[in-house]
Amino acid sequence: MKESYLDPATPISHRVQNLISLMTIEEKISQMSAVWSYEVLDEGRSFSFDKASQLLRVGVGQITRIGGATNLGPTETAQVANEIQSFLINHTRLKIPAMIHEESCSGYMAKGATCFPQSIGIASTFEADIAFRIGEIIRQQMRSAGAHQALAPLLDVTRDPRWGRVEETFGEDPYLVAQMGMKYVEGLQGDDLRDGVIATGKHFVGYGVSEGGMNWAPSHIAERELHEVYLHPFEAVVRKSHLYAIMPGYHELDGIPCHNSKYLLTDLLRHQWGFDGIVVSDYFAVNMLHEYHHVAPDKKHAAKFAVEAGVDVELPSRDIYGEALWQALDQGLITMDAMDQIVSRILTMKFQLGLFETPYVDVVKTLNVFDQTPQRQIAYEAAQKSIILLKNEHSLLPIAKSSQKIAVIGPNADTIRNMIGDYAYPCHIESLLEMRDQENVFETPVPDDVQVVDQFVPMISILEAIRSKVTDESQIHYAKGCDIQGLDETGMQEAVQLAKNADVAIVVVGDRAGLTDGCTTGESRDRATLNLLGLQEQLVKSVMETGTPTIVVLVSGRPLSIPFIASHAPAIVQAWLPGEEGAMAIADVLFGDYNPAGRLPITVPRSVGQVPVYYAHKPSGGRSHWKGEYVDESNLPLFVFGHGLSYTKFDYTDLQFSSDKVDVHGTLEISCRVQNVGQIAGDEVVQLYIQDLEADVTRPVQELRGFCRVHLEPMQSQQVTFSLSSHQLGFYNRNMEFVIEPGDVKVSIGSSSADIRLEGIYSLTGETVCIVEDKVFTTPVHVQ
C-alpha cells in the first residue's frame, strides 16, 4: 500500500508526519545537509551514478549550485537536475527529492542567465517594481533549470563603504532596503510556491556594519539600533512577503555568533515574527563555530549549538551535519525531538514546492526563458534607471553625437568583465579556481575542468556602445591609460595625448568586482581607503589638466571618495555595476537618449575618516560640537543620500495635509504637485522624510518614509499623494517596546535628503500605544 506521504491529496502536515515516522536517523541527518553538484558529476559535466550511489544513497536535503558551480549551460543544468532527482526517486528507499539552490544577487548566477545590475544599482532606481520584475525573471529561469531556492536577497543595511559587499545590498536606509527586499521576494516566490523559488533573506543580522568594515568581523550594534535599523527589513519581508528562508551572518553580535543565536533564529524570528520557513547556514558557517569563532570545542558541539539555535540545513556540503551530528545525537548532546522539528520544516518546504509531484523539468523548454528579448529589455531598463548623474556643470552632458572628437579613456572603458557584480557567474567560477589553486582552503573538491568564463551572456563594452551612438563625422579614440590596480605608467602618456586632441574626454574608472585577489570590490574585498586605486585618480587628474572637458564615469561596487575629482570634473556619472545591458544604458545617458534619474541609496563620504556617515543620524550626530567641522576637512559628505541630477528641472508646490491632527492609529494624506519645468521629458524621484520632534528617546533628524519615481513630459505636472500611517512613526522606547507616541511630526518632501523643497508639521494625537502584530512597513503612493 502506498504511504500517505506520497498522496498529494493528503494535507502536508500529515504527509510530513507520516514520512518522518518512516525515516531512519541516517535518512533524517541526510535531509539536513547538502552536496556540491560537481561531486556527483564525471569530469564536471555528466551525472555519475557511482558517485551518487556513494553520496546520495540515503537521500540529501539540498544540491549546491548546478548552474553556478559548473560550466554547464541551461539545458545541461536542467538535464543534470533531472538525473539527480531520478536517482533519488528510483534508487533511494524513501524517494525524497532534493531542493537545488543557486545564487541570484544580480540574476540567476549561471551561464546564459540574464545578468541584471548589481543590487546597489537596483536600489538606485528608487522603483521597487523593478526589483519585483527581476525577481519574476529569476524565478522563471531558475525553475526551468530545475532550481528551487535562491540565496538572495541581501537585506543588510550597510553604512560602511569599506565593506566589500556593499554592492550586493540595497544601501543604507532600512525603509528603502525593506521596500526593495519585499518586492524582490514577492517576484521570486510568486503566488504559488509550486511554481515559485524560495527567497533567502540574508545575512541575519547586522552583517553590513562590521568592525573596520572587514568581512566576517564582529558587529557592534546597540539593541535599539539593531531593532529599528538592521532588523527592520527582515521583519518587513517576513511579516508582509512571507519569506520562506533565512540565512544567518558569518559574524557575531556581542560575543554570540549568529549561527549560534537562539534569540535571533528561534525566539525572535519564529516566536515573535511567526516565521515558518527554513534557516540555512551560510557556506561553512556551522564549522566556523568551532574553527573560527572558537565557541564550540569540537565539531559535534558545533552541531549541537547550531541545532539548538535553529539552523535547519548546513550549506554547501556535508560536514558538521554529518558524522559530527550523528555523534552529538548518540552522546545525548542533541535530542531526537529537536532533530524531528528541523526535518519537519525541511520536508514541509519540499512538499510546498511540489517536489514530490513534479520533481522534473521539461528540458526542451528550458532555453525559452533564458536571456530572451523580454528579459534583456528589463535588464536594459533597470540599468538605465540605475544610473546616477552626480554632477553636470555647464550642462556638459549630454554629448552631441556629431562633429566630435571623443577620447574614451580608462581601465573600465573596454571591458565587459568589470561591468558585473561579484555574484555574477564568471566571478564565482574564478573563485572556485582560486580555491582549487590554493589547495582547497575550504576542503571543497573543485573539478579540474572548470574553466574561466568571460562572455557568459552577450555583452558589449562601454567603448563599443559609445561607437554605436555617434555619427560618421565623429571620431572615437581609445586608450586604457592604466589598470584598475598597479603602478604601470606606460599607458598614461598615450591617454593624455588623446585627451589633448579631443573635444571631450570620457574617463571610465572604478572597480573590478569578485571574490579573488585581483578584485577591488566584492565579498572579502574590503578596503581601508575609498579612493580610486592604482593610478586611476592620477589618470583622471592628468586628463583634466589638458583642459579638455572631462566626463568621469564610475563603474564601481561601492561609493568612492573622490573629493578632488568631484570639485574639478565638470560631469560625473555613477553607473555602479550595471550588468549585461549596462554599456548601452551608460551610452544612452552620455548622449541624451535617456534622461538619468537614479538616486544614491547610500551616502558618499568625503574621506574614509568620516565613516560611518549617513543621513539618518541623531540630533547630536553629523557634526563636531561646537565647531561643526573636522579640523582637517568638512563634516559634510561628498554626495548625500537620495542625490541625483537630471537633464531637466522640477518644481515642487502645493504641500497639503488631509488634517493637521492624526490619531496614533490613523493615516495622514500628504500631497504635493511636481512639475517638469524644463524642455525635455524626465523622471523625478519624490522623497518623503519625517522627523519625530517629540519622543521618549532621541530620534533621527530625518527618516525616509516614502518615495515615488514620476515620469513627466515638459511642463507636465502631477499630484503625488503619500498615505502615511501613524504606525510608520513607531520606535522602541526606553522599555524596548515598539510604540507610537503623540506629539509633533515634521514632514519634508524633496529631491534628496538635502534638497528639501516642501516642509510642514502635523500632530499625532491620542494615547501612547504599543504595537506588536499590526506594524505598517510601506507608505502607499498615488499619482494623478
Side-chain angles (χ1 to χ4, degrees):
M1 186 177 75
K2 185 168 72 172
E3 294 288 350
S4 62
Y5 80 88
L6 294 172
D7 180 7
T10 301
I12 287 178
S13 60
H14 294 171
R15 298 176 77 180
V16 169
Q17 187 177 15
N18 172 239
L19 182 50
I20 284 183
S21 71
L22 301 172
M23 297 175 76
T24 65
I25 294 174
E26 189 177 15
E27 287 167 333
K28 291 177 182 179
I29 290 175
S30 74
Q31 292 299 312
M32 297 170 61
S33 63
V35 168
W36 278 100
S37 57
Y38 49 69
E39 293 184 88
V40 294
L41 300 181
D42 280 330
E43 299 181 349
R45 300 202 70 83
S46 58
F47 177 74
S48 169
F49 184 89
D50 291 341
K51 291 179 179 179
S53 297
Q54 295 177 13
L55 293 169
L56 309 181
R57 61 181 181 82
V58 292
V60 70
Q62 296 213 12
I63 298 294
T64 296
R65 286 169 35 193
I66 302 175
T70 70
N71 287 139
L72 300 177
T75 300
E76 298 167 299
T77 296
Q79 182 63 41
V80 167
N82 282 350
E83 289 170 329
I84 290 172
Q85 302 292 23
S86 176
F87 177 88
L88 291 169
I89 292 166
N90 296 309
H91 299 282
T92 65
R93 187 175 72 92
L94 294 175
K95 310 179 186 300
I96 304 174
M99 285 174 56
I100 297 168
H101 75 260
E102 301 279 2
E103 300 283 2
S104 68
C105 190
S106 55
Y108 170 28
M109 194 184 77
K111 182 187 289 188
T114 308
C115 184
F116 299 98
Q118 184 66 300
S119 296
I120 196 73
I122 300 304
S124 299
T125 69
F126 273 68
E127 186 175 301
D129 184 60
I130 288 284
F132 177 83
R133 287 187 282 160
I134 288 172
E136 285 189 311
I137 292 171
I138 295 170
R139 165 164 51 92
Q140 294 164 3
Q141 293 181 348
M142 285 183 62
R143 266 295 193 167
S144 72
H148 315 101
Q149 180 175 2
L151 301 187
L154 268 73
L155 299 174
D156 299 304
V157 174
T158 183
R159 294 175 171 179
D160 192 335
R162 295 174 298 177
W163 187 52
R165 303 189 77 170
V166 165
E167 63 175 74
E168 300 174 45
T169 76
F170 294 124
E172 75 176 47
D173 182 75
Y175 181 85
L176 179 61
V177 174
Q179 303 314 303
M180 292 294 174
M182 284 191 287
K183 286 298 184 181
Y184 176 91
V185 168
E186 289 164 12
L188 191 61
Q189 294 187 163
D191 296 328
D192 187 338
L193 204 57
R194 288 174 294 183
D195 297 315
V197 168
I198 293 170
T200 309
K202 63 184 189 182
H203 305 85
F204 199 59
V205 61
Y207 185 47
V209 282
S210 59
E211 186 175 274
M214 293 183 287
N215 204 39
W216 297 8
S219 295
H220 306 289
I221 308 172
E223 184 181 11
R224 182 170 292 101
E225 185 179 9
L226 178 68
H227 282 266
E228 291 183 350
V229 177
Y230 299 100
L231 284 168
H232 176 88
F234 288 95
E235 183 177 8
V237 175
V238 167
R239 289 187 184 273
K240 299 301 180 181
S241 301
H242 200 167
L243 180 69
Y244 279 106
I246 282 281
M247 176 183 284
Y250 284 118
H251 62 298
E252 65 171 74
L253 291 172
D254 196 21
I256 301 175
C258 294
H259 284 76
N260 189 193
S261 177
K262 182 176 180 293
Y263 168 72
L264 286 177
L265 304 183
T266 299
D267 299 342
L268 179 68
L269 184 62
R270 294 194 185 278
H271 296 164
Q272 292 186 35
W273 294 356
F275 176 74
D276 61 359
I278 57 173
V279 173
V280 300
S281 83
D282 210 335
Y283 282 17
F284 319 106
V286 179
N287 185 52
M288 285 170 56
L289 298 179
H290 167 52
E291 293 190 358
Y292 186 78
H293 292 294
H294 305 296
V295 294
D298 50 37
K299 290 195 171 190
K300 63 177 180 286
H301 278 86
K304 166 185 167 65
F305 293 163
V307 166
E308 287 179 343
V311 178
D312 299 321
V313 182
E314 180 187 24
L315 302 180
S317 54
R318 193 173 286 153
D319 181 13
I320 303 299
Y321 281 10
E323 180 62 28
L325 180 58
W326 186 289
Q327 292 175 7
L329 188 65
D330 185 58
Q331 296 174 23
L333 299 176
I334 297 172
T335 68
M336 186 56 69
D337 283 346
M339 286 267 296
D340 285 350
Q341 286 182 16
I342 285 177
V343 177
S344 293
R345 292 194 286 262
I346 295 166
L347 295 176
T348 296
M349 198 60 61
K350 291 187 175 186
F351 283 120
Q352 289 178 319
L353 284 162
L355 295 187
F356 286 80
E357 287 70 58
T358 54
Y360 307 117
V361 294
D362 188 342
V363 176
V364 175
K365 296 181 179 179
T366 297
L367 283 177
N368 292 347
V369 296
F370 267 82
D371 206 39
Q372 301 297 311
T373 299
Q375 287 91 23
R376 294 193 70 96
Q377 183 58 40
I378 292 178
Y380 185 28
E381 179 185 346
Q384 288 178 319
K385 290 184 174 181
S386 72
I387 295 171
I388 305 167
L389 182 60
L390 294 177
K391 187 180 179 184
N392 191 23
E393 282 188 352
H394 312 301
S395 298
L396 178 58
L397 287 172
I399 306 168
K401 295 180 180 180
S402 60
S403 302
Q404 292 272 338
K405 293 181 180 179
I406 302 174
V408 181
I409 295 165
N412 277 344
D414 192 25
T415 171
I416 61 173
R417 167 61 181 78
N418 293 1
M419 290 197 297
I420 58 177
D422 69 335
Y423 269 68
Y425 175 67
C427 307
H428 270 253
I429 295 298
E430 293 168 3
S431 178
L432 288 172
L433 292 170
E434 184 178 78
M435 287 166 60
R436 185 184 67 194
D437 294 342
Q438 294 176 352
E439 298 182 352
N440 285 329
V441 174
F442 297 116
E443 299 180 355
T444 304
V446 180
D448 290 334
D449 70 328
V450 171
Q451 302 294 319
V452 173
V453 176
D454 190 9
Q455 188 81 336
F456 67 113
V457 285
M459 292 178 65
I460 62 171
S461 70
I462 295 170
L463 175 62
E464 292 174 274
I466 289 172
R467 284 177 171 153
S468 75
K469 287 288 183 182
V470 299
T471 64
D472 293 338
E473 292 79 28
S474 290
Q475 300 176 32
I476 306 293
H477 299 285
Y478 163 72
K480 184 178 182 181
C482 67
D483 293 321
I484 295 293
Q485 300 189 74
L487 301 177
D488 183 357
E489 297 184 359
T490 55
M492 194 75 70
Q493 185 175 356
E494 178 191 7
V496 172
Q497 192 60 44
L498 283 185
K500 283 182 180 179
N501 297 327
D503 298 314
V504 64
I506 302 170
V507 187
V508 189
V509 289
D511 280 319
R512 177 185 176 92
L515 291 75
T516 57
D517 289 347
C519 296
T520 62
T521 177
E523 186 171 359
S524 198
R525 307 313 299 143
D526 311 313
R527 294 269 303 272
T529 62
L530 294 174
N531 53 296
L532 288 163
L533 292 180
L535 296 174
Q536 293 186 87
E537 186 156 345
Q538 181 182 328
L539 175 66
V540 176
K541 289 179 179 179
S542 297
V543 170
M544 290 193 296
E545 286 170 358
T546 66
T548 299
T550 302
I551 299 156
V552 178
V553 179
L554 301 172
V555 179
S556 67
R558 53 162 56 86
L560 296 171
S561 296
I562 47 171
F564 180 87
I565 294 172
S567 297
H568 294 82
I572 305 174
V573 173
Q574 176 63 260
W576 302 115
L577 301 163
E580 65 179 42
E581 290 288 344
M584 191 56 70
I586 291 167
D588 286 344
V589 168
L590 294 177
F591 291 95
D593 291 329
Y594 187 81
N595 190 351
R599 297 292 189 268
L600 283 172
I602 186 169
T603 302
V604 180
R606 190 171 298 274
S607 74
V608 73
Q610 289 183 314
V611 174
V613 56
Y614 50 92
Y615 86 93
H617 58 75
K618 295 297 184 68
S620 60
R623 62 196 188 280
S624 178
H625 296 277
W626 63 96
K627 296 292 188 181
E629 295 190 340
Y630 291 103
V631 170
D632 49 348
E633 72 175 15
S634 170
N635 60 302
L636 300 177
L638 195 61
F639 296 105
V640 300
F641 176 87
H643 171 70
L645 304 177
S646 171
Y647 295 151
T648 188
K649 298 291 183 182
F650 300 92
D651 276 354
Y652 289 65
T653 58
D654 198 21
L655 176 66
Q656 293 187 17
F657 294 166
S658 58
S659 175
D660 60 357
K661 291 182 172 62
V662 180
D663 184 76
V664 291
H665 289 298
T667 297
L668 177 68
E669 302 295 321
I670 304 166
S671 65
C672 69
R673 184 158 290 279
V674 181
Q675 184 177 23
N676 180 352
V677 294
Q679 301 303 309
I680 63 171
D683 292 359
E684 173 68 337
V685 177
V686 184
Q687 301 164 43
L688 172 72
Y689 297 91
I690 60 98
Q691 182 183 10
D692 191 336
L693 299 174
E694 304 174 27
D696 179 54
V697 294
T698 62
R699 304 304 304 142
V701 296
Q702 282 179 299
E703 294 179 274
L704 184 71
R705 283 297 181 269
F707 57 85
C708 181
R709 186 166 178 142
V710 184
H711 181 78
L712 296 169
E713 297 295 322
M715 303 312 296
Q716 181 187 5
S717 70
Q718 288 194 302
Q719 182 171 285
V720 179
T721 302
F722 298 93
S723 298
L724 180 66
S725 167
S726 297
H727 289 195
Q728 284 272 41
L729 280 81
F731 62 89
Y732 286 84
N733 66 11
R734 298 184 189 206
N735 297 321
M736 286 306 296
E737 301 165 322
F738 188 80
V739 298
I740 294 93
E741 286 185 349
D744 289 343
V745 178
K746 180 180 177 181
V747 172
S748 304
I749 296 179
S751 190
S752 79
S753 59
D755 185 7
I756 299 300
R757 310 294 184 86
L758 302 168
E759 291 183 333
I761 294 175
Y762 75 98
S763 296
L764 279 177
T765 61
E767 300 294 325
T768 299
V769 292
C770 180
I771 301 295
V772 178
E773 300 294 333
D774 299 324
K775 291 183 180 179
V776 175
F777 295 96
T778 301
T779 300
V781 189
H782 179 65
V783 179
Q784 63 181 15

